[in-house]
Amino acid sequence: MKILHRQRHDQSSSMIFRKDYTLLIIYLSLSLVSGEFMTAGVVAVGSAISAGLLAGFNVINCMINECCTDRWVSTNYTDLKLTLDAKLYGQHLVIEPVVKHLKAHGKDNPSKALALSFHGWTGTGKNYVSRIVAEKMFAKGMKSKFVHLISATKEFPHKEMVPFYKDKLRDFIEARVKECPRSFFIFDEMDKMPPGIIDTLKPYLDFYENLGGVDYRKATFFFLSNTAGNDIAERTITTWTNNLDRETIKLKEMEEVIRLPALNNKSGLWHSELILKNLITAYVPFLPLERRHVKQCIKDGLVHKGYYKSEDEISDAKVQEIADELQYYPEGVLIFSTTGCKRIHEKIDLIMEEI
């Protein structure tokens, strides 16, 4: 089973360069230890030269090809909050904890791997936030070979194969973190993952300095789930019914709203040791989006798809027409979107494309 499908692009010019450079190193090393130069001092010099050439090659290679270096992997999250503030709508409980945890984890010696569990209905922004984080952390964004998107429904479809999946997942995580300690793992559709698989991650999320000579503490794990989506929605609706702004909802009051369903629903985190051993760094609630938030997504989508050059050109009537194609609840008031911003692009094409 191949857990992740990564795009690897062969660069013929760099491969030729690597081959020629390696041959040069071998030639110099053999020359220095040949009969003419068979002295301990010269051999030592030859070894030093070879090491220096290899180091030089690695530097040049990592200027061309993606490596696990600061050039390709960033821990500077200055722009992350600005982007989330500008592009993520209606999720005041998401931006601050995500940015703060990432910044704290980006320091030289984190105490453990970062594990954030995202919860909420579809279309509220869980995948969107994950993609933005990947773009800010890695020069190649979601196409980086150090970013790993793992879909539960695709990779773990058969409940009777849990032992097999656990072994494969363990091998995958170990190989990827050895390749790059700052690896980023996104587990999507956790609510559809067979119980027990995710406990494979327990050793890698614990407070160990190393396991088998490998330090997993710099890795980042996002778990995306619809679990507790109904509970989050009910709390949000209650707040609205009481004529309170959604911004009055606090993160602390949502933690148990999320934690209990995540632990007790028979899905990926059901009775998981990640929860029981408090290895989840934070539970992040994504609130259901209101019609006004969906309209903001529609404006972004119209510009992104090239129907308008800027939001200033878009009429309120056009946004309303597209928004009316979506479904809302509860009955009578129809204030919250049932699908968030997930279906807006197909609705934009429905309205905007001419026959």
Side-chain angles (χ1 to χ4, degrees):
M1 182 192 68
K2 186 176 181 181
I3 290 184
L4 180 70
H5 306 284
R6 300 185 302 175
Q7 295 183 348
R8 295 186 178 275
H9 303 284
D10 292 333
Q11 300 188 22
S12 57
S13 59
S14 63
M15 290 297 291
I16 293 170
F17 176 77
R18 184 184 297 112
K19 180 179 178 182
D20 292 344
Y21 214 95
T22 304
L23 288 174
L24 174 61
I25 294 168
I26 294 171
Y27 172 76
L28 289 173
S29 299
L30 290 175
S31 298
L32 286 166
V33 297
S34 65
E36 297 179 59
F37 304 100
M38 202 62 177
T39 69
V42 173
V43 170
V45 171
S47 298
I49 292 174
S50 297
L53 290 171
L54 282 170
F57 165 72
N58 288 333
V59 170
I60 296 173
N61 177 54
C62 290
M63 293 179 66
I64 302 170
N65 300 309
E66 186 181 25
C67 294
C68 190
T69 62
D70 290 344
R71 177 182 176 87
W72 298 95
V73 185
S74 173
T75 55
N76 181 3
Y77 304 105
T78 302
D79 190 46
L80 176 60
K81 186 176 186 303
L82 295 175
T83 302
L84 291 175
D85 281 337
K87 295 298 182 181
L88 182 66
Y89 304 118
Q91 302 298 355
H92 70 285
L93 297 180
V94 174
I95 297 174
E96 184 175 345
V98 168
V99 174
K100 283 187 174 181
H101 283 300
L102 283 168
K103 288 181 69 174
H105 185 251
K107 296 177 180 178
D108 290 337
N109 294 300
S111 59
K112 65 181 292 296
L114 178 63
L116 299 182
S117 191
F118 290 178
H119 296 263
W121 278 359
T122 183
T124 51
K126 300 185 297 293
N127 278 285
Y128 186 50
V129 170
S130 301
R131 186 168 71 250
I132 291 175
V133 170
E135 290 171 355
K136 298 306 177 183
M137 285 180 63
F138 299 88
K140 299 185 73 172
M142 290 296 295
K143 294 182 179 180
S144 170
K145 62 183 180 180
F146 307 129
V147 176
H148 314 288
L149 176 60
I150 303 166
S151 170
T153 53
K154 183 178 187 304
E155 306 298 349
F156 315 114
H158 306 296
K159 294 181 179 180
E160 66 275 10
M161 295 180 64
V162 167
F164 172 76
Y165 293 148
K166 292 175 74 172
D167 288 341
K168 289 297 182 181
L169 180 57
R170 182 184 301 109
D171 292 343
F172 179 76
I173 297 295
E174 291 180 358
R176 300 290 79 78
V177 177
K178 285 179 183 177
E179 184 180 21
C180 182
R182 287 285 181 190
S183 290
F184 181 24
F185 302 93
I186 304 168
F187 288 83
D188 195 15
E189 301 180 305
M190 282 292 300
D191 50 299
K192 298 178 178 65
M193 180 183 290
I197 294 176
I198 207 65
D199 280 343
T200 301
L201 302 183
K202 179 186 176 297
Y204 315 121
L205 298 182
D206 218 326
F207 293 83
Y208 299 123
E209 291 188 6
N210 71 76
L211 289 170
V214 179
D215 186 352
Y216 294 89
R217 294 176 300 171
K218 293 183 179 181
T220 298
F221 296 81
F222 281 7
F223 305 110
L224 282 51
S225 176
N226 290 344
T227 302
N230 290 337
D231 303 88
I232 294 170
E234 287 179 10
R235 181 64 61 91
T236 308
I237 293 172
T238 299
T239 300
W240 180 83
T241 303
N242 291 333
N243 293 319
L244 298 173
D245 292 335
R246 65 195 282 129
E247 287 75 15
T248 61
I249 301 174
K250 303 300 181 184
L251 183 61
K252 186 175 181 180
E253 70 182 272
M254 280 294 190
E255 287 181 343
E256 285 304 305
V257 170
I258 293 173
R259 190 176 183 276
L260 292 177
L263 182 62
N264 295 319
N265 290 356
K266 288 191 175 182
S267 59
L269 289 171
W270 181 65
H271 285 193
S272 170
E273 288 196 27
L274 303 191
I275 298 178
L276 295 173
K277 301 296 184 182
N278 295 310
L279 297 179
I280 301 294
T281 307
Y283 300 91
V284 182
F286 284 70
L287 308 184
L289 298 182
E290 298 175 19
R291 187 185 291 261
R292 60 190 173 107
H293 303 127
V294 172
K295 288 182 177 180
Q296 291 175 298
C297 292
I298 291 171
K299 290 182 179 180
D300 285 345
L302 286 168
V303 174
H304 176 74
K305 294 177 76 68
Y307 290 111
Y308 296 91
K309 292 182 179 179
S310 70
E311 292 186 8
D312 295 336
E313 300 177 3
I314 307 172
S315 68
D316 292 340
K318 182 60 66 177
V319 173
Q320 185 66 48
E321 182 181 4
I322 298 170
D324 287 344
E325 290 292 322
L326 299 169
Q327 295 182 332
Y328 302 88
Y329 72 97
E331 292 185 11
V333 291
L334 303 179
I335 192 70
F336 296 100
S337 171
T338 60
T339 55
C341 290
K342 190 167 188 177
R343 298 188 63 198
I344 63 166
H345 288 285
E346 60 188 67
K347 297 303 182 183
I348 285 173
D349 291 335
L350 175 68
I351 298 298
M352 299 301 295
E353 287 295 331
E354 298 181 0
I355 299 177

